[in-house]
Amino acid sequence: MKDLNVVIAGSAGEGIQTIGEILSHTLCRQGYSVFAWQEYESRIRGGQNSYSIRVGEEPNNAPLLSADILLALNEGAAKKYEGLLKEEGVLISQNKGTDGMIAIPFDEIAKEEVGGGIYANTVAVGALINVLGVDLETLNAVLERTFSEKGEEVLKANYKAAEKGFERAERDCGDRCPWTLPPRDTRHAFISGNEAIPIAAAYAGCRFISAYPMTPSTGIITALAKAQERFGVFAEQAEDEIAAINMALGAGYGGARAMTATSGGGFALMVEGISLAGMTETPLVIVLGQRPGPATGLPTRTAQGDLLFAINAGHGEFPKMVLAASDPKDAFQKTVRAFNMADKYQIPVILLTDQLLADAHYSFRDFENFDNPVYHLADPSQIEEYKRYQLSPDGISPRLYPGQSGHLVCVDSDEHDEEGHITEDLSGIVQAMVEKRLAKFQKLRSEVNPPEEVYSEDVEFILVGWGSSRPAILEGIELLKQEDIRAGMIHFTELWPLPEYHFPEGVALWTVENNATGQLARLLRSEFGLSFEGTLHRYDGLPLTGEYIRSQIHAQHRNV
């Protein structure tokens, strides 16, 4: 079957997320792959927002903007989003409007036939299930899981609401709803980035997280706080981001694998702490959920605008690592890798996500086979005279934590000697300590994974991207291929230090980024001396899509 895209639109507070989540889980239970994402304004009530559900037989985790089915919960939503509806698409609305629209008064049905307007959203889901050709039994199973804790009366009311919506759509759809999604014997993992990262952190041995809530990273500390006893992770909401990173540093110094999570301005406040981690050589994982800036910017929208900020965060010269996950499965893997690498090199590791990756739900058939946590603490029984900053060829000193043994573990944010005592020996140990830290950078670089290559030798150009843009770039390549335009992809998820890598010669390179200035392009120019034939940017707060990439290629380079 060809992918279908269902867009649910309405004001904040009208329950579009509830409708979207119930419908998504119903379609997953029916055996289909679902990619669900939402775009919403930064307000508690009002505005007009949307929740999009892409459903197909095979996982295709790239956002679509056009809609096969548009469910509008109010007139304003219908006006704002009707431009997304395909020519052959179906608009479902509460009120009668243009010809071809299916009008189903969800509120009226809920109040008069179910028992209250609170059930209007379930009436809407029941109608959508009928339009998509899914049986009511599958929806009821999801309703039971969702509402059973609220009591038998509430559950029965939701069953009835779903049935009323289903029957009303059955009556009004007619030939306008040609879709049918019969049950399939296929199961997918259905997970978001903010759901994958906390589980991965616990799996990786994280025992402490401190953070201050900030969209879109809030879900990480919320998930770990809810499951802290089950996961064995101590979660602390700090008074601000400065306190959060310094608490995590203290936990790391004390021997626990520790992390913090933030976004935009919160990361700006953490920068001094990153330098402190560099000087004290304390392992630390920092999740940076990107959103458009500067300042508060568009706090509920998406962007890839903090790449260079992350790479350059911190004063002085010290090694750090910057990773950027491409999807929730990769976010799981990168989280484990972040803890392992922070532990091995005793450095801060920054994991970049963004609002799309954090909040969107992706489908995977094989959400498994992850690296195991690897620990690098020294064995105190093998150490007689302990030096926290002992000089070594690769710059990595044996690491103990206070209380682990009788050894004194001394650290200092000033320049220090091997024992950790402050020093001003400018012609001796000061230079040695600088060189020690930079030696780690060189060894770290040898372990950085190269970018993913998806291209054959006869491509006309290669799209170079990073992070969450991967699914959209791959779909863009497929769309161009249908027009006999051959394109490839080079995609980075490990961005600092950059690995030794040789870009293909004799082929045009384009960068594709969810920012305005081409931060990856600037980085690759400075590190590899590359020149790009084209740059493709999106910076309106919406994610990159395959169709956007295809259209921009045509607009900027009509002769390809």
Side-chain angles (χ1 to χ4, degrees):
M1 63 170 278
K2 188 178 179 181
D3 284 2
L4 296 175
N5 199 40
V6 181
V7 176
I8 302 158
S11 301
E14 283 193 310
I16 63 170
Q17 185 170 353
T18 301
I19 298 172
E21 290 180 352
I22 292 176
L23 180 61
S24 296
H25 286 286
T26 302
L27 295 170
C28 285
R29 196 178 185 91
Q30 192 78 345
Y32 291 87
S33 165
V34 171
F35 176 74
W37 68 285
Q38 55 184 324
E39 56 85 25
Y40 56 101
E41 298 183 18
S42 177
R43 57 172 67 186
I44 304 300
R45 299 189 68 87
Q48 298 297 345
N49 313 305
S50 70
Y51 190 106
S52 297
I53 301 169
R54 181 175 188 171
V55 53
E57 293 183 349
E58 299 298 326
N60 196 337
N61 293 311
L64 286 176
L65 294 183
S66 59
D68 296 283
I69 300 166
L70 171 61
L71 173 71
L73 294 178
N74 62 63
E75 189 173 345
K79 288 182 179 177
K80 178 177 179 181
Y81 293 99
E82 63 184 357
L84 301 181
L85 195 63
K86 295 179 181 177
E87 187 175 346
E88 67 278 14
V90 167
L91 171 61
I92 305 170
S93 179
Q94 293 235 57
N95 305 308
K96 291 183 179 179
T98 59
D99 293 340
M101 174 193 296
I102 297 175
I104 301 178
F106 311 122
D107 286 330
E108 184 180 316
I109 292 172
K111 291 175 182 175
E112 297 181 358
E113 302 183 43
V114 181
I118 193 173
Y119 299 108
N121 291 338
T122 308
V123 175
V125 178
L128 281 173
I129 287 296
N130 182 277
V131 170
L132 288 166
V134 177
D135 61 83
L136 196 57
E137 184 180 344
T138 308
L139 172 58
N140 284 341
V142 175
L143 294 175
E144 180 181 9
R145 192 186 70 178
T146 306
F147 295 109
S148 59
E149 291 185 356
K150 295 182 181 294
E152 188 69 16
E153 184 177 347
V154 172
L155 181 58
K156 285 184 177 179
N158 276 284
Y159 285 157
K160 187 174 182 180
E163 184 178 4
K164 293 297 179 184
F166 190 90
E167 291 173 350
R168 185 59 181 262
E170 178 78 15
R171 191 193 79 180
D172 294 353
C173 244
D175 297 334
R176 288 174 290 179
C177 308
W179 304 285
T180 178
L181 300 176
R184 300 179 72 237
D185 188 20
T186 307
R187 292 293 175 265
H188 300 90
F190 185 56
I191 191 168
S192 71
N194 272 5
E195 291 171 342
I197 289 173
I199 300 171
Y203 172 77
C206 177
R207 292 295 173 262
F208 183 90
I209 179 172
S210 53
Y212 184 79
M214 195 169 185
T215 303
S217 65
T218 304
I220 295 172
I221 188 171
T222 301
L224 284 172
K226 287 181 178 177
Q228 57 180 322
E229 291 188 8
R230 180 159 57 96
F231 286 165
V233 179
F234 185 90
E236 173 72 8
Q237 179 177 322
E239 63 266 35
D240 57 36
E241 288 84 355
I242 298 173
I245 192 169
N246 286 316
M247 284 182 183
L249 276 170
Y253 168 63
R257 285 196 164 188
M259 70 183 295
T260 186
T262 189
S263 306
F267 185 76
L269 292 173
M270 290 183 175
V271 168
E272 187 176 11
I274 294 171
S275 295
L276 181 58
M279 175 56 95
T280 60
E281 302 188 38
T282 304
L284 178 63
V285 173
I286 306 155
V287 179
L288 169 52
Q290 299 169 98
R291 65 192 204 184
T296 308
L298 294 167
T300 59
R301 306 290 179 173
T302 198
Q304 292 181 309
D306 295 336
L307 173 60
L308 295 179
F309 181 28
I311 288 174
N312 294 292
H315 56 285
E317 300 169 307
F318 60 94
K320 72 166 81 71
M321 190 173 195
V322 178
L323 309 172
S326 60
D327 57 40
K329 182 178 179 180
D330 191 43
F332 193 109
Q333 184 78 306
K334 288 289 186 299
T335 301
V336 177
R337 181 163 169 76
F339 278 101
N340 287 345
M341 297 299 277
D343 204 21
K344 180 175 182 178
Y345 288 94
Q346 303 166 32
I347 56 171
V349 177
I350 300 165
L351 174 59
L352 291 168
T353 67
D354 51 53
Q355 185 270 330
L356 175 72
L357 173 56
D359 294 338
H361 282 74
Y362 298 61
S363 291
F364 300 94
R365 282 191 176 179
D366 57 342
F367 198 84
E368 54 190 9
N369 300 323
F370 300 109
D371 291 343
N372 292 319
V374 180
Y375 295 87
H376 299 277
L377 281 169
D379 180 359
S381 68
Q382 303 298 313
I383 300 173
E384 292 187 6
E385 183 186 3
Y386 182 60
K387 297 179 179 178
R388 175 64 188 90
Y389 303 107
Q390 180 179 313
L391 297 174
S392 64
D394 60 10
I396 301 173
S397 307
R399 176 171 164 257
L400 299 178
Y401 60 85
Q404 184 182 4
S405 64
H407 299 90
L408 176 64
V409 182
C410 183
V411 301
D412 199 313
S413 64
D414 285 57
E415 192 56 274
H416 41 251
D417 60 18
E418 289 182 277
E419 286 79 14
H421 298 135
I422 186 171
T423 181
E424 290 278 346
D425 180 10
L426 303 185
S427 61
I429 194 64
V430 167
Q431 292 186 41
M433 281 295 153
V434 173
E435 292 164 0
K436 163 187 154 54
R437 292 189 289 268
L438 297 184
K440 288 200 296 185
F441 181 84
Q442 294 304 322
K443 181 171 175 59
L444 172 65
R445 188 178 189 191
S446 69
E447 283 200 53
V448 175
N449 290 319
E452 178 188 8
E453 299 175 347
V454 180
Y455 62 89
S456 57
E457 293 182 354
D458 61 347
V459 295
E460 298 172 46
F461 57 91
I462 293 175
L463 303 177
V464 185
W466 62 282
S468 67
S469 64
R470 180 180 183 274
I473 293 176
L474 289 175
E475 181 155 64
I477 290 172
E478 286 301 313
L479 292 173
L480 291 167
K481 185 178 178 182
Q482 293 170 16
E483 301 171 337
D484 293 326
I485 299 172
R486 301 183 307 278
M489 178 185 79
I490 293 177
H491 188 263
F492 286 83
T493 57
E494 304 204 357
L495 289 144
W496 193 256
L498 283 168
E500 294 285 349
Y501 183 69
H502 298 285
F503 284 84
E505 298 180 354
V507 60
L509 299 175
W510 285 56
T511 56
V512 179
E513 304 187 55
N514 217 164
N515 60 49
T517 58
Q519 296 191 21
L520 177 64
R522 290 162 61 189
L523 179 65
L524 297 180
R525 281 193 199 101
S526 66
E527 294 296 312
F528 293 99
L530 284 180
S531 59
F532 293 91
E533 183 166 304
T535 57
L536 197 161
H537 303 153
R538 181 163 206 168
Y539 45 90
D540 57 2
L542 293 173
L544 289 160
T545 67
E547 177 56 35
Y548 182 87
I549 292 170
R550 187 201 68 81
S551 65
Q552 288 297 306
I553 291 288
H554 279 284
Q556 296 185 43
H557 193 54
R558 297 178 185 278
N559 294 323
V560 296

